[in-house]
Amino acid sequence: MSRAGLILSMFVVGCGGPEPLGEVASEVRPQAVAGTSEVELALAPSEFHCEVMTEAARAAVPPPPPAIERAASAPRLRAVCPPGQVPIYHQAELRTHKAGPPLSPGLNGATGSRLLAGAYWYAGVLKPTDALSQSGVGASILFSNPAVYDQSDMVTSQMSIVRGANYHLVEMGLRKFWDAFPRLMISQWSYGTFNDAAGFVQVHGVYGPGMPLTSYYGYAVQQYIRHDNGNWWIWFNDAWVGYFPGSLWSGQFTSGDMAHFYGEVYSAQNRVPPLTDMGTGQFSGTWGSAYIHGMCLHTAGASCNYITNGWRSETNAAYYSLSYWNGADMEFGGNGGG
């Protein structure tokens, strides 16, 4: 996205003062964060449908809200379904095999990680953790609308909690294919297989897998993944979205041994250089580049502790670069060779 476009997006989305909270479909209503505006999610009737909440969703008891130091500035969205129902967002089937987070730091080289017919490119931070007590991750991720070059390319800005070599994991963030806008990615891997959002129990009246992110361009949106009471819960902006049941992993995935915060580009044609934007399309360290702030790890309770001394993962800085200062913040992005 150009600098002018980013500024315009921030201006348009940020207009208006705080308004009353939107409705949440779950009967157990997550605590809201004060000081955010409320906007309407512009959707055509063909882009979603409403379904009655499942019994599991109605019975769900979300964890306490994360300990957030300051009020969120990103807007809330008004519910798009009647109370007691949740939206199912219509989106094209995945057009690529999802590679998952990078498996090792320092992926410096002339070409991206090869898989099937395409190549993956990364810029981000990995943090090894105590596998016995590390129960989640959190961060504020800047959302933008990156340009996607090829109809089979993909770009993400995301975080994940991982066990083993991508054997088990939960991830969330922004994902865009060759579409007009990015969507909210909430997905999981089990036993080394990518399953996207299969098995997710949604409790929120608007936030959900595949939700268009057009209302969030230019905002750094607070997100958390947290294991609680046997399930992996997802927090977006100001509320719990839902959870992946622990039964998807037969109770074997209760903590992670690696946390990931990164941008990813899939170049479907093995194109070198790749031409799809990562982040805002600006390289790290330049004005308007994408960033992830407040990268943190959950142990017990609502607190999420900022990381230090993470490992760098940068496939090729000439195409997508990373600025990281060994703390809890990073900048990333680039336009490949575009």
Side-chain angles (χ1 to χ4, degrees):
M1 177 184 290
S2 67
R3 297 180 183 179
L6 180 59
I7 294 174
L8 178 61
S9 296
M10 296 175 70
F11 175 79
V12 172
V13 178
C15 291
E19 298 179 13
L21 302 182
E23 291 297 316
V24 177
S26 174
E27 294 186 9
V28 181
R29 296 173 183 256
Q31 178 178 319
V33 180
T36 62
S37 59
E38 186 183 69
V39 299
E40 199 78 43
L41 181 60
L43 289 172
S46 61
E47 293 179 338
F48 76 104
H49 69 274
C50 297
E51 292 186 359
V52 175
M53 292 176 65
T54 64
E55 289 300 320
R58 291 183 178 278
V61 180
I68 301 174
E69 292 185 353
R70 60 184 183 276
S73 61
R76 292 187 183 90
L77 301 179
R78 297 189 181 96
V80 297
C81 293
Q85 298 184 22
V86 295
I88 306 300
Y89 295 101
H90 303 164
Q91 53 184 330
E93 293 185 8
L94 296 181
R95 283 158 274 181
T96 62
H97 176 83
K98 185 70 170 61
L103 294 176
S104 62
L107 297 177
N108 295 312
T111 60
S113 303
R114 305 286 177 175
L115 186 68
L116 299 179
Y120 284 85
W121 307 79
Y122 299 97
V125 171
L126 291 68
K127 177 65 178 179
T129 66
D130 178 358
L132 298 179
S133 62
Q134 209 286 307
S135 59
V137 294
S140 294
I141 302 176
L142 180 72
F143 283 168
S144 60
N145 189 16
V148 175
Y149 180 80
D150 187 270
Q151 62 180 352
S152 295
D153 284 6
M154 178 191 71
V155 58
T156 71
S157 298
Q158 63 174 99
M159 64 181 186
S160 59
I161 178 67
V162 183
R163 188 67 178 260
N166 292 345
Y167 192 60
H168 298 322
L169 70 86
V170 175
E171 59 186 349
M172 72 176 301
L174 172 153
R175 179 172 62 195
K176 186 183 179 186
F177 293 106
W178 202 48
D179 300 314
F181 51 81
R183 295 176 180 272
L184 178 62
M185 177 183 66
I186 298 173
S187 58
Q188 54 92 358
W189 290 59
S190 60
Y191 304 98
T193 299
F194 174 63
N195 303 300
D196 203 29
F200 188 71
V201 178
Q202 186 172 336
V203 304
H204 197 272
V206 60
Y207 303 150
M211 181 186 75
L213 294 175
T214 49
S215 297
Y216 293 100
Y217 298 162
Y219 285 103
V221 183
Q222 195 75 43
Q223 298 164 74
Y224 293 94
I225 302 169
R226 178 177 164 191
H227 189 266
D228 183 84
N229 198 27
N231 302 315
W232 284 99
W233 280 86
I234 300 294
W235 174 280
F236 180 81
N237 191 27
D238 62 346
W240 293 110
V241 183
Y243 65 90
F244 286 112
S247 58
L248 296 174
W249 300 273
S250 302
Q252 298 178 14
F253 180 33
T254 59
S255 61
D257 52 27
M258 187 72 76
H260 298 254
F261 309 88
Y262 62 101
E264 173 190 49
V265 164
Y266 174 75
S267 180
Q269 304 301 323
N270 269 328
R271 190 175 290 103
V272 179
L275 298 177
T276 285
D277 285 357
M278 178 188 291
T280 63
Q282 302 294 325
F283 286 90
S284 65
T286 63
W287 189 91
S289 64
Y291 57 82
I292 301 178
H293 285 177
M295 299 181 291
C296 64
L297 304 177
H298 274 294
T299 50
S303 296
C304 197
N305 302 310
Y306 292 142
I307 71 166
T308 57
N309 300 316
W311 296 349
R312 295 173 59 91
S313 177
E314 192 174 23
T315 310
N316 191 319
Y319 303 143
Y320 307 109
S321 63
L322 172 70
S323 296
Y324 177 61
W325 306 274
N326 297 321
D329 302 331
M330 59 172 267
E331 294 179 4
F332 67 100
N335 61 6

